[in-house]
Amino acid sequence: MNRRNLCAAMAGMAILPWSVASAQSKFPSRPIRLVAPYPAGGTVDILARAIGVPLGKALGQSVVVDNRGGAGGTLGTDLVAHAPADGYTLLFGAVHQAIAQSVYSKLNYDFQRDLVPVSMLGRVNHVLIVNNSLPVRTVADLVAYLKANPGKLNYGTPGNGSLHHLLAEQFKAMTGTSMSHVPYRGAGQSMVDLIGGAIHVYFESMPSALQQIRSGTVRALAVTSKQRSIALPQIPTLAESGLDNYDASSWYGMFAPANTPKDVVQRLNEAINQVYASKEFVAQWREFGAEPGGGAPSELAALVDSEVPRWAAVAKAAKIRID
């Protein structure tokens, strides 16, 4: 190699690291796909679309919500877990993914190993709602009716192994009552059937239930969290209604495939925190019955590490296992 070619090669080697760093610093340079692992119409879909627009503005690229429902959210999660680790395919994850880790006997991914936390997206309360024709106005009324009519009522969920499923089973265990489980593929049809009377009881998440509660098409009896909901301050908690220490809510977080560059994760995290710094967005978020998110990736990681064993214990006690 002559001197001129050697100098050119050395110059190219010197430029290469700068080029890689420059490409990463320009992230994102194209639209981002945000996978919502549930069908349209449910809470994950509602919240994913609500945050998609302002997040896209913060990143300077559009964020496209891609509904990939099926198998209790595991199909969409699997898609992201095996996507290129470049930050362009993200998961709108939830407590359901932590539950699935122990409920499903066969998964093609490990939630804690194959996905990396980006940021907390918030918490959502669940509310115990019933069909309007049911002659109950309080949790005590429902418990009395269930005991007087064992096996007569059923409850719906958006799928086997969902948080809704575990909440209902926990309620049954704490009250000594029985109801039949009717699983659906998502929240949309199950709400239609609750209103129509095909199912009687539902532990639905707030964003999906609020409109129906406010319009009077279903009746709310209690919320599942320890504190009353800002969105429904007049509705008591289950703990207030006689189920001591009943405290559960959905949480949501954004995840990327494992090995996504740290600077890309940081860029996404900064953009999410920028969205939650907007008072207007937070007000809109709370209108859905959701508490705002944000914070460091490590905070979401710690939550996941605590939630996986917590719900594994509940699922084991209720003998919920999906092969």
Side-chain angles (χ1 to χ4, degrees), residues 24-25 28 63 101 113 134 175 185 193 198 217 224 226 233 266 285:
Q24 291 182 356
S25 68
V63 174
Q101 196 60 43
R113 181 194 66 210
L134 209 60
T175 58
R185 282 182 55 84
D193 282 0
T217 54
T224 61
K226 191 173 183 179
Q266 184 62 31
W285 202 245

Side-chain angles (χ1 to χ4, degrees), residues 3 39 48 54 57 61-62 69 89 113-114 122 139 167 183 190-191 193 195 216 219 228 294 298 307 320:
R3 184 174 180 179
K57 290 180 179 178
Q61 288 288 341
S62 60
T89 302
R113 181 194 66 210
D114 298 328
V139 172
L167 291 177
S190 53
M191 182 63 75
D193 282 0
I195 295 169
R219 183 179 304 131
R228 291 196 181 198
S298 59
E307 287 285 271
I320 299 173

Side-chain angles (χ1 to χ4, degrees), residues 126-132 134-143 145-146 153 171 179 200-203 213 218-224 228 232 234-241:
H126 280 243
V127 55
L128 169 55
I129 52 180
V130 298
N131 175 266
N132 277 335
L134 209 60
V136 300
R137 296 282 173 180
T138 66
V139 172
D141 289 345
L142 177 60
V143 172
Y145 188 88
L146 287 168
L153 300 187
F171 176 86
M179 291 185 285
H200 309 100
V201 179
Y202 205 154
F203 283 78
I213 294 169
V218 298
R219 183 179 304 131
L221 302 186
V223 295
T224 61
R228 291 196 181 198
L232 293 172
Q234 75 280 15
I235 303 300
T237 67
L238 280 168
E240 289 176 312
S241 303

